[in-house]
Structure formats: C-alpha cells, structure tokens
C-alpha cells in the first residue's frame, strides 16, 4: 500500500511521514516510535504541523472509505493515525463516526 501517497494527498511530503509509514507497515513499532514522532512533531512550524495533522486525517478517511475491502488493514491504519494524533494534539480533529454507510 502506498502510505506516503495517502499521507501526502496532493501536498508535498514532510520527513516525519517516513516514521509514520514505518508504523503503518508494522504496527508493533508504534510503541517505540511514538516518542520520536512526538518529539519531531514538536519541532515543526505551524504550517507543517497543520500539514502533518491533515496527513493523519487523510489516513483516517482513507481507512474508513476502504474498510470493507480489508477490515484488518483499515483498523490498523485507523489505530496508528488516531494514537499519533491523540498523543500530539490531545484529541482527534474529527471524532470517529460512520462516514461510509455499511
């Protein structure tokens, strides 16, 4: 899966996305990567932190749209992006709902 494309959307890649991709590829890395991701996010300027948050949001939306294709992958993507967003921003930009009808 092209996680970088999902994170970037139509925007330019930011280096922090590489760490997120590692966690999306192997969710077992998330506990070890959460602190380095948090610390690097703290160094981003306001424009990049907004871009970063929208990247996490894109992953959540993508996972919701494609959840019926691969439920396990969708749940993993959603979990990783939500945990990172909660750790860095203290909550979710958009609370979880059923965006796509069953």
């Amino acid at each position: 899966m092209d996680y970088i494309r999902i994170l970037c959307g139509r925007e330019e890649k930011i280096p922090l996305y590489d760490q997120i991709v590692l966690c999306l590829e192997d969710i077992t890395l998330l506990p070890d990567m959460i602190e380095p991701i948090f610390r690097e996010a703290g160094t981003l300027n306001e424009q990049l932190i907004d871009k970063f948050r929208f990247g996490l949001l894109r992953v959540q939306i993508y996972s919701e749209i494609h959840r019926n294709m691969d439920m396990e992958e969708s749940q993993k993507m959603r979990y990783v992006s939500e945990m990172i967003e909660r750790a860095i921003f203290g909550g979710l930009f958009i609370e979880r709902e059923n965006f796509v009808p069953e």
Side-chain angles (χ1 to χ4, degrees):
M1 179 159 311
D2 191 356
Y3 296 116
I4 288 292
R5 192 207 60 73
I6 297 167
L7 283 160
C8 293
R10 294 184 177 170
E11 300 292 321
E12 291 183 32
K13 178 185 166 203
I14 59 175
L16 187 51
Y17 288 161
D18 291 329
Q19 293 182 56
I20 306 303
V21 168
L22 291 175
C23 295
L24 289 167
E25 291 174 341
D26 182 358
I27 196 169
T28 65
L29 296 176
L30 183 59
D32 295 329
M33 297 295 296
I34 194 72
E35 185 176 357
I37 291 168
F38 179 87
R39 295 196 184 284
E40 187 171 336
T43 68
L44 299 177
N45 65 37
E46 190 175 325
Q47 182 181 10
L48 288 179
I49 199 73
D50 282 347
K51 184 180 281 196
F52 175 63
R53 192 165 198 183
F54 276 102
L56 295 173
L57 180 60
R58 277 189 288 276
V59 171
Q60 293 165 30
I61 293 169
Y62 182 93
S63 72
E64 196 67 28
I65 291 169
H66 295 90
R67 71 179 169 180
N68 291 328
M69 292 177 177
D70 187 342
M71 182 67 84
E72 186 176 335
E73 179 69 16
S74 175
Q75 289 174 336
K76 177 188 72 166
M77 292 171 65
R78 184 90 186 189
Y79 182 78
V80 167
S81 60
E82 283 184 358
M83 289 302 103
I84 293 169
E85 185 177 8
R86 287 178 197 270
I88 294 169
F89 299 101
L92 299 176
F93 188 67
I94 297 178
E95 289 297 324
R96 186 178 188 132
E97 298 175 13
N98 286 325
F99 297 109
V100 180
E102 294 292 328

